[in-house]
Amino acid sequence: MAQFYSPNRRTTQRRQMTVVVDSLDAAGQGVTRLDGKAVFIAGLLPGEEAQIEITEDKRHFAKAKVIKRLSSSPQRVKPRCRYFNQCGGCQQQHIDIALQRESKAQSLQHLMRRETGVTKPATPVISGEEYGYRRRARLGLQYQNKSRHLVMGFRQNQSNTLVDIKSCPVLNNELDALLAPLSECLNSLSIAAKLGHVELIHADNGNVILLRHLVPVNVSDRNRLLEFAQKHQVNIWLAGNEGELQPLEPSIRLPEYQVADESLQFNPLNFIQVNGEINQQMVAQAIAWLDISPEDRVLDLFCGMGNFTLPIARIAKSVVGVEGVENLVSQARSNAQLNSINNASFYNANLEEQIHTQPWAQQGFNKVLLDPARAGAAGVIEHLTKLMPEKIVYVSCNPTTLARDSKVLFEGGYQLSQLRMLDMFPHTSHLESMALFIRSPEG
């Protein structure tokens, strides 16, 4: 038998050792140092001693797994979810909520200092309830041919395999109560093997189920879904293969939620902030930081359907909301009309282009808010400084892109005045934040 030599093939002998954890990273991993190198260990808390095994050894860091924990931190708590060790939805239910928030705030502060050289505390943390906070969740559906069972749940960590869940303590209580009967209902459908996913939404005017189906829903299945909807007082929307969306019953109204004093309607496919309580605090904090007055002209970039725009419009002279997704712009205009707001205008525009030359920017803006997706606002941030607003509030779901875009604002004559960590997703590794930038007097 021929043998081939591969110079890149290397056998790594896994090392075992005893360590004490120093701190947590934003993802809830314990961190210690060996030979000057950071070692990340899932499942350990600061102060805990454990026998570990190195599983990945890189030039600047290493990863390890716990062989045996030798001590327990007083900040270790019992996870409330029975699926915690299987489901990949939450990573930190074993950590006291105060420690979760502290470690995330420190991680945000450290990242900003490392990437920009600017030190600013990320506290006090904007926080709310640690359980029952999710008003929206998407659950995967996988049909198992052998058992003829439709699995409904969240993915395991680093896997496409679903955990078949019947309860979830981070979900809104009304949505949590729907999980078991909904799973039973979907399993009874003749098209159970041809379902894509299901979304649960807790709206202020009723709970919503959005069902993605890959083949047409026949009359028999429609009747089963209708029976479920009436029994559990939910509104069901069907999303088919061609992207069409239709209510199961023609009389169903669009869902809506409250922010500040405004009611915002939304298409069930539209993005809304998952944590309604934190969304309210976030909008209030943005308005306070911008210090909105009746003379202000405000620009809201990545405005969606008016989550920030409409509450700001109640106070400012005028607000322009700009969004890259056309159907969100239409919904924002509808929401302005619904709330009798006449000083907010909305535009669909490519935010990678030069915004300061657009017709809607000709009168200028003295204050700006932006809430981009995870990719950040690299395409617009440099053009934004040419408008020379006094204040800019940046809401971020990715601290890495916030730090990157902050450097452009610093170069454009802005200073970081405030920084906050938003505990939008307790028990997870998600780190949301918001920052206030003020134009330097000499800028």
Side-chain angles (χ1 to χ4, degrees), residues 234-262:
V234 299
N235 295 323
I236 296 180
W237 294 73
L238 302 175
N241 242 350
E242 303 302 321
E244 74 275 9
L245 179 70
Q246 58 176 263
L248 184 62
E249 301 175 85
S251 59
I252 291 178
R253 293 173 50 201
L254 284 176
E256 61 184 51
Y257 71 90
Q258 193 84 9
V259 58
D261 295 324
E262 321 307 328

Side-chain angles (χ1 to χ4, degrees), residues 297-310 319-326 328-330 332-333 344-356 358-362 365 367-373 380 384 387:
R297 280 182 48 80
V298 183
L299 175 64
D300 181 8
L301 298 174
F302 309 93
C303 70
M305 55 192 177
N307 187 61
F308 288 97
T309 328
L310 300 183
V319 186
V320 170
V322 186
E323 169 60 51
V325 181
E326 190 170 358
L328 290 177
V329 174
S330 298
R333 289 171 179 158
S345 53
F346 296 90
Y347 298 90
N348 176 223
N350 181 356
L351 290 172
E352 297 291 320
E353 296 176 350
Q354 298 190 18
I355 63 168
H356 65 288
Q358 297 297 317
W360 42 261
Q362 294 307 301
F365 304 94
K367 294 173 182 177
V368 172
L369 182 140
L370 64 158
D371 182 12
V380 74
L384 180 58
L387 293 172

Side-chain angles (χ1 to χ4, degrees), residues 9 50 63 139 166 173 186 275 279 283 291 302 313 322 329 401 413 419 428 432:
R9 187 178 297 160
K63 292 184 179 181
L139 293 95
K166 298 297 185 288
N173 292 338
L186 297 182
N275 192 321
N279 185 55
V283 171
D291 192 21
F302 309 93
V322 186
V329 174
T401 52
L419 182 65
T428 77
E432 310 255 335

Side-chain angles (χ1 to χ4, degrees), residues 44-49 69 71-77 94 99:
L44 287 186
L45 306 188
E48 291 184 336
E49 183 179 19
R69 194 173 75 246
S71 65
S72 292
S73 165
Q75 292 174 298
R76 178 177 289 276
V77 297
H94 64 297
L99 179 57

Side-chain angles (χ1 to χ4, degrees), residues 1 3 7 30 47 71 102-103 117 119 202 241 263 294 301 305-306 321 326 366 385 388 419 424:
M1 180 178 70
Q3 293 184 337
S71 65
E102 178 187 347
S103 64
T119 300
H202 177 68
N241 242 350
S263 291
L301 298 174
M305 55 192 177
E326 190 170 358
N366 63 322
T385 61
M388 297 192 298
L419 182 65
M424 186 75 76

Side-chain angles (χ1 to χ4, degrees), residues 92-309:
Q92 302 188 31
Q93 284 192 26
H94 64 297
I95 305 172
D96 178 76
I97 191 64
L99 179 57
Q100 290 185 40
R101 291 166 179 163
E102 178 187 347
S103 64
K104 287 183 181 181
Q106 289 179 349
S107 295
L108 174 61
Q109 181 179 328
H110 171 74
L111 176 65
M112 290 293 286
R113 181 175 63 247
R114 186 189 70 196
E115 297 297 319
T116 71
V118 175
T119 300
K120 185 67 64 174
T123 52
V125 172
I126 295 175
S127 61
E129 295 293 330
E130 62 172 305
Y131 284 103
Y133 66 85
R134 284 197 73 113
R135 63 179 175 184
R136 181 168 197 156
R138 174 184 288 194
L139 293 95
L141 299 173
Q142 290 178 349
Y143 190 77
Q144 299 177 336
N145 289 307
K146 188 174 182 179
S147 60
R148 295 185 179 181
H149 176 69
L150 180 69
V151 175
M152 183 182 80
F154 300 112
R155 286 182 174 82
Q156 296 179 16
N157 189 34
Q158 296 182 333
S159 170
N160 286 324
T161 302
L162 294 182
V163 178
D164 198 3
I165 67 169
K166 298 297 185 288
S167 65
C168 177
V170 299
L171 277 185
N172 169 274
N173 292 338
E174 293 179 19
L175 299 185
D176 183 34
L178 289 172
L179 290 176
L182 177 60
S183 176
E184 183 179 350
C185 174
L186 297 182
N187 267 282
S188 73
L189 301 182
S190 66
I191 60 167
K194 299 296 182 180
L195 298 176
H197 62 258
V198 63
E199 291 192 52
L200 279 65
I201 306 168
H202 177 68
D204 289 351
N205 60 338
N207 294 318
V208 175
I209 292 175
L210 173 62
L211 182 62
R212 175 80 167 89
H213 55 95
L214 307 179
V215 296
V217 182
N218 61 39
V219 174
S220 175
D221 285 344
R222 280 181 176 271
N223 288 336
R224 285 191 177 92
L225 291 171
L226 184 59
E227 182 181 351
F228 178 89
Q230 293 172 343
K231 180 179 179 178
H232 296 278
Q233 297 185 318
V234 299
N235 295 323
I236 296 180
W237 294 73
L238 302 175
N241 242 350
E242 303 302 321
E244 74 275 9
L245 179 70
Q246 58 176 263
L248 184 62
E249 301 175 85
S251 59
I252 291 178
R253 293 173 50 201
L254 284 176
E256 61 184 51
Y257 71 90
Q258 193 84 9
V259 58
D261 295 324
E262 321 307 328
S263 291
L264 273 66
Q265 290 186 340
F266 60 96
N267 180 307
L269 292 173
N270 292 157
F271 167 83
I272 64 168
Q273 293 288 355
V274 159
N275 192 321
E277 182 183 6
I278 301 303
N279 185 55
Q280 290 276 16
Q281 294 185 56
M282 177 176 68
V283 171
Q285 183 67 86
I287 290 173
W289 277 354
L290 288 172
D291 192 21
I292 304 293
S293 77
E295 302 304 316
D296 289 331
R297 280 182 48 80
V298 183
L299 175 64
D300 181 8
L301 298 174
F302 309 93
C303 70
M305 55 192 177
N307 187 61
F308 288 97
T309 328

Side-chain angles (χ1 to χ4, degrees), residues 1 19 29 35 108 140 231 269 280 337 341 346 363 373-374 404 416 442:
M1 180 178 70
V19 299
Q29 298 179 109
D35 302 324
L108 174 61
K231 180 179 179 178
L269 292 173
Q280 290 276 16
Q337 185 176 8
I341 291 175
F346 296 90
Q363 295 181 49
R374 288 190 60 81
R404 179 201 66 199
L416 179 61
E442 65 276 8

